[in-house]
Amino acid sequence: MTSPVDHRRFTLSDFDFALPPELIAQHPAPERSASRLLDGRADAPVDRVFHELPGLLDPGDLLVFNDTQVIKARLFGRKATGGAVELLVERVLQNHEVVAHMKVSKKPLVGAVLEMDGGFSAELIGRWPDEDGALFRLRFSGEPHALMAAHGHVPLPPYIEHGDTAEDERRYQTVFAKHPGAVAAPTAALHFDEALLAALRARGVQTAEVTLHVGAGTFQPVKTENIAEHTMHAEWYRVPEATIAAIDACRARGGRVVAVGTTTVRTLESWAAFGRTEGDTQIFITPGFHFQVVDRLITNFHLPKSTLMMLVSAFAGYQRVMALYRHAIEQRYRFFSYGDAMLLCRR
């Protein structure tokens, strides 16, 4: 049920908060399931550890994960003039073509060939998705996934201040990742390890998967004070028939659908809202949104003024979420991708 406060008109400033910089996690916890978990289901928040999760769910509940795999999408190279170029591949197309963000002092002209670290080249074809698009369409000289696996870097978020390491290659990836295509991890799922998954199975909690290839737009700041004017980025998703059947079975037995992460929420609610099991979604979930699928949410702590702050506020109630964030800051929880998590009920 949506609380009455969620019917007022929200602005971007409503989703701002002051975060001490030292609370931004720069490295993952030593063990995945050793992260802290803020249990926000009741009126009073409870500080827990993530491996306590099985006891917080009931037999017959359904956990839905995003099984996307983070690709080593950050690539470095140079223009023919010698100027440095950095690409962040957002999407792989047909015929060795990719869509990418480009960081360069002066944008090259269409037809320019970039020499990339690792000995391959990338020809600039044009802008994407149209001639005024913010992204660039390029053709690699070889198969993109293979080239990124061999020569790419883990696309760590902008607030992580170190270069990617072997630890990042292992830990900025879920243990069940299987479909390559994401340039950012579904971070709530990073807390799950094999021991925790086994404990959930023993508890009688069912699991299912969706795929949403998280794009770099997930870190894109909202720039309009009127949030209705924000243009949401597009991400590709798929809801398998087996997952739809699992949701139906969960409903039939009286269980609850528990989304692991905001990307899973966006996937399930896109399917429910638009009736498509596969395709691009630009769903923008803000307070007042009518949720049709998700009953519980496991999520990390998000950036101020972000679309993800708006989503969790829509899900659990704005006042409730802001109070939980104040508690998390007071109790020194770790924030963002490598940080801690919370468990929320739909209001």
Side-chain angles (χ1 to χ4, degrees):
M1 184 175 69
T2 303
S3 59
V5 72
D6 289 347
H7 291 293
R8 74 176 177 86
R9 180 171 293 182
F10 286 88
T11 65
L12 181 61
S13 299
D14 290 318
F15 300 95
D16 195 13
F17 60 91
L19 180 68
E22 66 271 16
L23 296 187
I24 300 174
Q26 295 296 316
H27 299 275
E31 298 178 15
R32 289 178 184 267
S33 60
S35 297
R36 298 171 73 187
L37 176 65
L38 178 54
D39 185 351
R41 296 173 300 165
D43 289 338
V46 180
D47 301 311
R48 302 184 184 274
V49 182
F50 202 88
H51 61 63
E52 297 178 54
L53 181 64
L56 310 181
L57 303 178
D58 293 331
D61 284 349
L62 178 69
L63 271 176
V64 185
F65 297 101
N66 181 4
D67 63 9
T68 188
Q69 184 180 97
V70 178
I71 56 178
K72 295 167 75 173
R74 182 165 281 120
L75 300 163
F76 296 95
R78 65 206 61 79
K79 299 185 294 183
T81 58
V85 176
E86 178 182 330
L87 300 179
L88 181 63
V89 175
E90 179 84 14
R91 188 175 298 207
V92 176
L93 306 175
Q94 302 293 323
N95 302 317
H96 294 180
E97 293 183 5
V98 303
V99 172
H101 304 261
M102 184 185 300
K103 187 182 294 185
V104 63
S105 59
K106 183 179 180 181
K107 297 294 190 294
L109 299 175
V110 171
V113 177
L114 310 175
E115 295 302 324
M116 307 303 298
D117 292 358
F120 69 99
S121 62
E123 179 187 356
L124 178 59
I125 299 171
R127 299 272 185 160
W128 193 88
D130 52 43
E131 61 183 16
D132 298 317
L135 301 181
F136 294 84
R137 187 168 178 167
L138 303 107
R139 182 181 295 110
F140 284 0
S141 57
E143 200 285 312
H145 283 296
L147 291 172
M148 287 187 286
H151 309 297
H153 295 264
V154 179
L156 294 174
Y159 45 75
I160 291 181
E161 297 173 352
H162 62 265
D164 62 318
T165 65
E167 178 190 50
D168 297 306
E169 187 169 351
R170 182 173 59 89
R171 293 295 301 275
Y172 196 63
Q173 191 82 269
T174 66
V175 297
F176 40 76
K178 64 175 72 169
H179 297 297
V183 300
T187 55
L190 295 178
H191 304 288
F192 290 83
D193 53 28
E194 295 298 346
L196 181 57
L197 292 170
L200 288 162
R201 288 192 293 270
R203 174 71 170 163
V205 175
Q206 306 294 308
T207 60
E209 296 80 35
V210 297
T211 305
L212 181 138
H213 291 326
V214 192
T218 192
F219 304 116
Q220 179 183 341
V222 178
K223 298 178 180 178
T224 58
E225 186 64 16
N226 178 2
I227 61 176
E229 295 176 357
H230 176 68
T231 300
M232 196 68 176
H233 60 285
E235 293 168 317
W236 183 90
Y237 76 93
R238 184 171 71 90
V239 183
E241 290 299 325
T243 297
I244 296 172
I247 292 170
D248 290 341
C250 178
R251 294 281 185 236
R253 62 178 175 261
R256 295 166 301 191
V257 176
V258 184
V260 180
T262 55
T263 62
T264 298
V265 174
R266 296 186 69 234
T267 302
L268 293 175
E269 297 298 336
S270 293
W271 159 62
F274 308 118
R276 297 192 303 270
T277 59
E278 183 175 328
D280 280 4
T281 180
Q282 289 181 278
I283 194 168
F284 187 18
I285 297 177
T286 58
F289 181 85
H290 174 62
F291 290 88
Q292 300 183 64
V293 183
V294 181
D295 303 307
R296 299 284 188 273
L297 171 60
I298 300 166
T299 184
N300 279 22
F301 296 94
H302 303 293
L303 291 160
K305 295 185 176 181
S306 64
T307 60
L308 303 183
M309 277 294 294
M310 298 170 196
L311 185 153
V312 295
S313 298
F315 186 83
Y318 172 77
Q319 299 289 357
R320 177 71 178 153
V321 166
M322 298 307 288
L324 289 170
Y325 270 64
R326 287 192 295 272
H327 176 88
I329 292 170
E330 290 168 0
Q331 297 302 314
R332 311 295 288 178
Y333 275 71
R334 301 167 75 242
F335 275 63
F336 306 161
S337 294
Y338 276 150
D340 299 313
M342 59 180 173
L343 174 62
L344 300 172
C345 292
R346 189 176 74 196
R347 298 289 171 163

